[in-house]
Amino acid sequence: MRITAFRKMMADEFGEIRADMLARDHVFGALGNRTVDQALEAGVPAKEIWRAVCDTFEVPPERR
């Protein structure tokens, strides 16, 4: 998954402003206690990050 596609999926699911806030501020245990932005910078695949976001926020399977 490309980062641009990941960012679009985040914005579609949470709204642009909240998606930016979550990526910057929310620490995910599943990502090694990193934020989305930190995980992307560390080279974690966007698909793995998306799964962690979906699991944490209980995104329904049809929107994953």
Side-chain angles (χ1 to χ4, degrees):
M1 169 187 299
R2 291 179 178 229
I3 293 173
T4 53
F6 168 77
R7 296 281 188 192
K8 180 172 180 355
M9 290 169 72
M10 287 281 290
D12 288 348
E13 184 62 34
F14 301 106
E16 196 170 316
I17 293 170
R18 185 166 184 228
D20 288 343
M21 182 269 310
L22 288 174
R24 182 184 62 242
D25 298 331
H26 189 88
V27 176
F28 293 84
L31 298 176
N33 294 319
R34 293 182 277 208
T35 66
V36 165
D37 290 343
Q38 290 168 334
L40 286 169
E41 191 173 307
V44 178
K47 190 171 187 174
E48 183 178 328
I49 297 169
W50 179 243
R51 281 191 206 119
V53 170
C54 290
D55 289 345
T56 299
F57 291 99
E58 300 178 349
V59 175
E62 64 272 7
R63 294 198 312 256
R64 291 182 178 219

